[in-house]
PDB file of all heavy atoms in Angstrom:
ATOM      1  N   VAL A   7    -120.678  37.930 -36.417  1.00  0.00           N
ATOM      2  CA  VAL A   7    -121.225  39.314 -36.387  1.00  0.00           C
ATOM      3  C   VAL A   7    -120.181  40.333 -36.467  1.00  0.00           C
ATOM      4  O   VAL A   7    -120.411  41.349 -37.221  1.00  0.00           O
ATOM      5  CB  VAL A   7    -122.149  39.354 -35.078  1.00  0.00           C
ATOM      6  CG1 VAL A   7    -122.661  40.841 -35.032  1.00  0.00           C
ATOM      7  CG2 VAL A   7    -123.273  38.444 -35.228  1.00  0.00           C
ATOM      8  N   ARG A   8    -119.198  40.223 -35.749  1.00  0.00           N
ATOM      9  CA  ARG A   8    -118.145  41.229 -35.681  1.00  0.00           C
ATOM     10  C   ARG A   8    -117.535  41.352 -37.099  1.00  0.00           C
ATOM     11  O   ARG A   8    -117.313  42.467 -37.571  1.00  0.00           O
ATOM     12  CB  ARG A   8    -116.997  40.831 -34.707  1.00  0.00           C
ATOM     13  CG  ARG A   8    -115.868  41.886 -34.665  1.00  0.00           C
ATOM     14  CD  ARG A   8    -114.984  41.557 -33.634  1.00  0.00           C
ATOM     15  NE  ARG A   8    -113.915  42.517 -33.643  1.00  0.00           N
ATOM     16  CZ  ARG A   8    -113.123  42.872 -32.580  1.00  0.00           C
ATOM     17  NH1 ARG A   8    -113.401  42.247 -31.362  1.00  0.00           N
ATOM     18  NH2 ARG A   8    -112.208  43.742 -32.641  1.00  0.00           N
ATOM     19  N   LYS A   9    -117.211  40.220 -37.713  1.00  0.00           N
ATOM     20  CA  LYS A   9    -116.515  40.377 -39.081  1.00  0.00           C
ATOM     21  C   LYS A   9    -117.591  40.909 -40.068  1.00  0.00           C
ATOM     22  O   LYS A   9    -117.132  41.707 -40.934  1.00  0.00           O
ATOM     23  CB  LYS A   9    -116.203  38.938 -39.492  1.00  0.00           C
ATOM     24  CG  LYS A   9    -114.868  38.499 -38.809  1.00  0.00           C
ATOM     25  CD  LYS A   9    -114.453  37.108 -39.334  1.00  0.00           C
ATOM     26  CE  LYS A   9    -113.320  36.618 -38.552  1.00  0.00           C
ATOM     27  NZ  LYS A   9    -112.782  35.275 -39.031  1.00  0.00           N
ATOM     28  N   SER A  10    -118.827  40.586 -39.977  1.00  0.00           N
ATOM     29  CA  SER A  10    -119.805  41.218 -40.798  1.00  0.00           C
ATOM     30  C   SER A  10    -119.850  42.733 -40.678  1.00  0.00           C
ATOM     31  O   SER A  10    -119.907  43.518 -41.616  1.00  0.00           O
ATOM     32  CB  SER A  10    -121.112  40.576 -40.513  1.00  0.00           C
ATOM     33  OG  SER A  10    -122.092  41.168 -41.310  1.00  0.00           O
ATOM     34  N   LEU A  11    -119.910  43.147 -39.421  1.00  0.00           N
ATOM     35  CA  LEU A  11    -119.930  44.653 -39.126  1.00  0.00           C
ATOM     36  C   LEU A  11    -118.658  45.355 -39.543  1.00  0.00           C
ATOM     37  O   LEU A  11    -118.684  46.454 -40.102  1.00  0.00           O
ATOM     38  CB  LEU A  11    -120.283  44.863 -37.709  1.00  0.00           C
ATOM     39  CG  LEU A  11    -121.614  44.485 -37.241  1.00  0.00           C
ATOM     40  CD1 LEU A  11    -121.833  44.603 -35.758  1.00  0.00           C
ATOM     41  CD2 LEU A  11    -122.749  45.209 -37.906  1.00  0.00           C
ATOM     42  N   GLU A  12    -117.526  44.713 -39.267  1.00  0.00           N
ATOM     43  CA  GLU A  12    -116.258  45.271 -39.755  1.00  0.00           C
ATOM     44  C   GLU A  12    -116.237  45.413 -41.354  1.00  0.00           C
ATOM     45  O   GLU A  12    -115.745  46.474 -41.812  1.00  0.00           O
ATOM     46  CB  GLU A  12    -115.059  44.438 -39.234  1.00  0.00           C
ATOM     47  CG  GLU A  12    -114.805  44.527 -37.801  1.00  0.00           C
ATOM     48  CD  GLU A  12    -113.681  43.687 -37.254  1.00  0.00           C
ATOM     49  OE1 GLU A  12    -113.513  42.627 -37.734  1.00  0.00           O
ATOM     50  OE2 GLU A  12    -113.091  44.076 -36.340  1.00  0.00           O
ATOM     51  N   ALA A  13    -116.757  44.461 -42.025  1.00  0.00           N
ATOM     52  CA  ALA A  13    -116.827  44.544 -43.552  1.00  0.00           C
ATOM     53  C   ALA A  13    -117.655  45.705 -43.916  1.00  0.00           C
ATOM     54  O   ALA A  13    -117.409  46.201 -45.070  1.00  0.00           O
ATOM     55  CB  ALA A  13    -117.274  43.189 -43.954  1.00  0.00           C
ATOM     56  N   LYS A  14    -118.619  46.217 -43.079  1.00  0.00           N
ATOM     57  CA  LYS A  14    -119.383  47.299 -43.410  1.00  0.00           C
ATOM     58  C   LYS A  14    -118.820  48.639 -42.930  1.00  0.00           C
ATOM     59  O   LYS A  14    -119.397  49.619 -43.066  1.00  0.00           O
ATOM     60  CB  LYS A  14    -120.839  47.072 -42.798  1.00  0.00           C
ATOM     61  CG  LYS A  14    -121.531  45.895 -43.543  1.00  0.00           C
ATOM     62  CD  LYS A  14    -123.017  45.607 -42.822  1.00  0.00           C
ATOM     63  CE  LYS A  14    -123.674  44.544 -43.450  1.00  0.00           C
ATOM     64  NZ  LYS A  14    -124.977  44.337 -42.933  1.00  0.00           N
ATOM     65  N   GLY A  15    -117.649  48.474 -42.313  1.00  0.00           N
ATOM     66  CA  GLY A  15    -116.989  49.775 -41.870  1.00  0.00           C
ATOM     67  C   GLY A  15    -117.008  50.084 -40.378  1.00  0.00           C
ATOM     68  O   GLY A  15    -116.400  51.029 -39.969  1.00  0.00           O
ATOM     69  N   MET A  16    -117.605  49.189 -39.530  1.00  0.00           N
ATOM     70  CA  MET A  16    -117.609  49.449 -38.116  1.00  0.00           C
ATOM     71  C   MET A  16    -116.227  49.105 -37.613  1.00  0.00           C
ATOM     72  O   MET A  16    -115.607  48.097 -37.991  1.00  0.00           O
ATOM     73  CB  MET A  16    -118.663  48.608 -37.407  1.00  0.00           C
ATOM     74  CG  MET A  16    -118.619  48.900 -35.873  1.00  0.00           C
ATOM     75  SD  MET A  16    -120.061  48.025 -35.106  1.00  0.00           S
ATOM     76  CE  MET A  16    -121.268  49.215 -35.340  1.00  0.00           C
ATOM     77  N   ARG A  17    -115.725  50.033 -36.740  1.00  0.00           N
ATOM     78  CA  ARG A  17    -114.371  49.735 -36.098  1.00  0.00           C
ATOM     79  C   ARG A  17    -114.695  49.402 -34.635  1.00  0.00           C
ATOM     80  O   ARG A  17    -115.222  50.188 -33.919  1.00  0.00           O
ATOM     81  CB  ARG A  17    -113.548  51.026 -36.141  1.00  0.00           C
ATOM     82  CG  ARG A  17    -112.159  50.921 -35.676  1.00  0.00           C
ATOM     83  CD  ARG A  17    -111.359  52.065 -35.909  1.00  0.00           C
ATOM     84  NE  ARG A  17    -111.801  53.255 -35.231  1.00  0.00           N
ATOM     85  CZ  ARG A  17    -111.232  53.887 -34.205  1.00  0.00           C
ATOM     86  NH1 ARG A  17    -110.036  53.498 -33.809  1.00  0.00           N
ATOM     87  NH2 ARG A  17    -111.776  54.985 -33.717  1.00  0.00           N
ATOM     88  N   PHE A  18    -114.105  48.276 -34.268  1.00  0.00           N
ATOM     89  CA  PHE A  18    -114.205  47.841 -32.814  1.00  0.00           C
ATOM     90  C   PHE A  18    -112.922  48.307 -32.103  1.00  0.00           C
ATOM     91  O   PHE A  18    -111.876  48.043 -32.588  1.00  0.00           O
ATOM     92  CB  PHE A  18    -114.442  46.279 -32.800  1.00  0.00           C
ATOM     93  CG  PHE A  18    -115.732  45.881 -33.213  1.00  0.00           C
ATOM     94  CD1 PHE A  18    -116.041  45.694 -34.493  1.00  0.00           C
ATOM     95  CD2 PHE A  18    -116.739  45.674 -32.222  1.00  0.00           C
ATOM     96  CE1 PHE A  18    -117.295  45.317 -34.956  1.00  0.00           C
ATOM     97  CE2 PHE A  18    -117.964  45.365 -32.616  1.00  0.00           C
ATOM     98  CZ  PHE A  18    -118.233  45.026 -33.922  1.00  0.00           C
ATOM     99  N   VAL A  19    -113.104  48.937 -31.017  1.00  0.00           N
ATOM    100  CA  VAL A  19    -111.951  49.548 -30.339  1.00  0.00           C
ATOM    101  C   VAL A  19    -111.737  48.900 -28.951  1.00  0.00           C
ATOM    102  O   VAL A  19    -110.762  49.157 -28.279  1.00  0.00           O
ATOM    103  CB  VAL A  19    -112.170  51.031 -30.124  1.00  0.00           C
ATOM    104  CG1 VAL A  19    -112.082  51.806 -31.439  1.00  0.00           C
ATOM    105  CG2 VAL A  19    -113.427  51.399 -29.272  1.00  0.00           C
ATOM    106  N   SER A  20    -112.635  48.102 -28.505  1.00  0.00           N
ATOM    107  CA  SER A  20    -112.500  47.388 -27.190  1.00  0.00           C
ATOM    108  C   SER A  20    -113.449  46.325 -27.059  1.00  0.00           C
ATOM    109  O   SER A  20    -114.439  46.123 -27.839  1.00  0.00           O
ATOM    110  CB  SER A  20    -112.780  48.505 -26.004  1.00  0.00           C
ATOM    111  OG  SER A  20    -112.458  47.893 -24.708  1.00  0.00           O
ATOM    112  N   SER A  21    -113.197  45.395 -26.091  1.00  0.00           N
ATOM    113  CA  SER A  21    -114.036  44.289 -25.764  1.00  0.00           C
ATOM    114  C   SER A  21    -113.940  43.991 -24.258  1.00  0.00           C
ATOM    115  O   SER A  21    -112.843  44.320 -23.689  1.00  0.00           O
ATOM    116  CB  SER A  21    -113.834  43.115 -26.653  1.00  0.00           C
ATOM    117  OG  SER A  21    -112.385  42.576 -26.395  1.00  0.00           O
ATOM    118  N   ALA A  22    -114.850  43.311 -23.753  1.00  0.00           N
ATOM    119  CA  ALA A  22    -114.780  42.951 -22.272  1.00  0.00           C
ATOM    120  C   ALA A  22    -115.476  41.647 -22.185  1.00  0.00           C
ATOM    121  O   ALA A  22    -116.413  41.302 -22.866  1.00  0.00           O
ATOM    122  CB  ALA A  22    -115.452  44.077 -21.396  1.00  0.00           C
ATOM    123  N   THR A  23    -115.056  40.942 -21.108  1.00  0.00           N
ATOM    124  CA  THR A  23    -115.627  39.621 -20.758  1.00  0.00           C
ATOM    125  C   THR A  23    -115.901  39.577 -19.303  1.00  0.00           C
ATOM    126  O   THR A  23    -115.002  40.063 -18.528  1.00  0.00           O
ATOM    127  CB  THR A  23    -114.726  38.489 -21.159  1.00  0.00           C
ATOM    128  OG1 THR A  23    -114.455  38.467 -22.498  1.00  0.00           O
ATOM    129  CG2 THR A  23    -115.393  37.187 -20.808  1.00  0.00           C
ATOM    130  N   THR A  24    -117.072  39.360 -18.909  1.00  0.00           N
ATOM    131  CA  THR A  24    -117.305  39.104 -17.386  1.00  0.00           C
ATOM    132  C   THR A  24    -117.761  37.711 -17.206  1.00  0.00           C
ATOM    133  O   THR A  24    -118.443  37.148 -18.091  1.00  0.00           O
ATOM    134  CB  THR A  24    -118.368  40.184 -16.895  1.00  0.00           C
ATOM    135  OG1 THR A  24    -119.598  39.936 -17.632  1.00  0.00           O
ATOM    136  CG2 THR A  24    -117.933  41.567 -17.042  1.00  0.00           C
ATOM    137  N   LEU A  25    -117.432  37.234 -16.130  1.00  0.00           N
ATOM    138  CA  LEU A  25    -117.862  35.824 -15.619  1.00  0.00           C
ATOM    139  C   LEU A  25    -119.188  35.992 -14.888  1.00  0.00           C
ATOM    140  O   LEU A  25    -119.393  36.963 -14.156  1.00  0.00           O
ATOM    141  CB  LEU A  25    -116.865  35.189 -14.841  1.00  0.00           C
ATOM    142  CG  LEU A  25    -115.441  34.933 -15.440  1.00  0.00           C
ATOM    143  CD1 LEU A  25    -114.529  34.358 -14.406  1.00  0.00           C
ATOM    144  CD2 LEU A  25    -115.561  34.123 -16.663  1.00  0.00           C
ATOM    145  N   GLU A  26    -120.133  35.154 -15.175  1.00  0.00           N
ATOM    146  CA  GLU A  26    -121.427  35.235 -14.583  1.00  0.00           C
ATOM    147  C   GLU A  26    -121.279  35.227 -13.033  1.00  0.00           C
ATOM    148  O   GLU A  26    -122.027  35.977 -12.387  1.00  0.00           O
ATOM    149  CB  GLU A  26    -122.280  34.047 -14.983  1.00  0.00           C
ATOM    150  CG  GLU A  26    -123.678  34.068 -14.522  1.00  0.00           C
ATOM    151  CD  GLU A  26    -124.636  32.993 -14.988  1.00  0.00           C
ATOM    152  OE1 GLU A  26    -124.206  32.233 -15.956  1.00  0.00           O
ATOM    153  OE2 GLU A  26    -125.719  32.873 -14.505  1.00  0.00           O
ATOM    154  N   SER A  27    -120.402  34.513 -12.452  1.00  0.00           N
ATOM    155  CA  SER A  27    -120.145  34.441 -11.012  1.00  0.00           C
ATOM    156  C   SER A  27    -119.764  35.826 -10.439  1.00  0.00           C
ATOM    157  O   SER A  27    -120.206  36.163  -9.404  1.00  0.00           O
ATOM    158  CB  SER A  27    -119.210  33.386 -10.621  1.00  0.00           C
ATOM    159  OG  SER A  27    -117.959  33.585 -11.210  1.00  0.00           O
ATOM    160  N   ASP A  28    -118.910  36.522 -11.303  1.00  0.00           N
ATOM    161  CA  ASP A  28    -118.541  37.828 -10.884  1.00  0.00           C
ATOM    162  C   ASP A  28    -119.672  38.906 -10.910  1.00  0.00           C
ATOM    163  O   ASP A  28    -119.806  39.709  -9.998  1.00  0.00           O
ATOM    164  CB  ASP A  28    -117.393  38.309 -11.750  1.00  0.00           C
ATOM    165  CG  ASP A  28    -116.126  37.617 -11.538  1.00  0.00           C
ATOM    166  OD1 ASP A  28    -115.901  37.036 -10.308  1.00  0.00           O
ATOM    167  OD2 ASP A  28    -115.177  37.617 -12.359  1.00  0.00           O
ATOM    168  N   VAL A  29    -120.427  38.757 -11.912  1.00  0.00           N
ATOM    169  CA  VAL A  29    -121.595  39.620 -12.036  1.00  0.00           C
ATOM    170  C   VAL A  29    -122.663  39.309 -10.900  1.00  0.00           C
ATOM    171  O   VAL A  29    -122.950  40.225 -10.276  1.00  0.00           O
ATOM    172  CB  VAL A  29    -122.357  39.437 -13.374  1.00  0.00           C
ATOM    173  CG1 VAL A  29    -123.629  40.283 -13.484  1.00  0.00           C
ATOM    174  CG2 VAL A  29    -121.393  39.896 -14.563  1.00  0.00           C
ATOM    175  N   ASP A  30    -122.844  38.041 -10.673  1.00  0.00           N
ATOM    176  CA  ASP A  30    -123.680  37.687  -9.573  1.00  0.00           C
ATOM    177  C   ASP A  30    -123.151  38.191  -8.211  1.00  0.00           C
ATOM    178  O   ASP A  30    -124.097  38.583  -7.394  1.00  0.00           O
ATOM    179  CB  ASP A  30    -123.943  36.115  -9.473  1.00  0.00           C
ATOM    180  CG  ASP A  30    -124.726  35.622 -10.691  1.00  0.00           C
ATOM    181  OD1 ASP A  30    -125.395  36.351 -11.297  1.00  0.00           O
ATOM    182  OD2 ASP A  30    -124.663  34.333 -10.888  1.00  0.00           O
ATOM    183  N   ALA A  31    -121.857  38.144  -8.017  1.00  0.00           N
ATOM    184  CA  ALA A  31    -121.401  38.636  -6.725  1.00  0.00           C
ATOM    185  C   ALA A  31    -121.053  40.209  -6.760  1.00  0.00           C
ATOM    186  O   ALA A  31    -120.635  40.646  -5.776  1.00  0.00           O
ATOM    187  CB  ALA A  31    -119.950  37.921  -6.547  1.00  0.00           C
ATOM    188  N   GLY A  32    -121.373  40.928  -7.928  1.00  0.00           N
ATOM    189  CA  GLY A  32    -121.208  42.303  -7.932  1.00  0.00           C
ATOM    190  C   GLY A  32    -119.608  42.697  -8.000  1.00  0.00           C
ATOM    191  O   GLY A  32    -119.313  43.782  -7.680  1.00  0.00           O
ATOM    192  N   ARG A  33    -118.915  41.794  -8.641  1.00  0.00           N
ATOM    193  CA  ARG A  33    -117.429  42.049  -8.829  1.00  0.00           C
ATOM    194  C   ARG A  33    -117.149  42.352 -10.163  1.00  0.00           C
ATOM    195  O   ARG A  33    -116.067  41.824 -10.734  1.00  0.00           O
ATOM    196  CB  ARG A  33    -116.670  40.885  -8.260  1.00  0.00           C
ATOM    197  CG  ARG A  33    -116.759  40.606  -6.769  1.00  0.00           C
ATOM    198  CD  ARG A  33    -115.715  39.399  -6.501  1.00  0.00           C
ATOM    199  NE  ARG A  33    -116.015  38.253  -7.223  1.00  0.00           N
ATOM    200  CZ  ARG A  33    -116.603  37.176  -6.775  1.00  0.00           C
ATOM    201  NH1 ARG A  33    -117.051  37.105  -5.562  1.00  0.00           N
ATOM    202  NH2 ARG A  33    -116.648  36.114  -7.624  1.00  0.00           N
TER     203      ARG A  33
END
């Protein structure tokens, strides 16, 4: 999806990853 959107001109400037356990614990 990212490559497809970049090919259409979208510029990605950041990304983030959260672990489900961290989300569940509010961290």
Side-chain angles (χ1 to χ4, degrees):
V7 172
R8 180 177 179 152
K9 287 181 181 183
S10 176
L11 293 172
E12 286 175 330
K14 294 179 180 182
M16 181 174 274
R17 182 174 65 110
F18 287 83
V19 297
S20 186
S21 65
T23 302
T24 57
L25 301 177
E26 186 175 350
S27 60
D28 289 336
V29 173
D30 289 344
R33 295 185 306 255

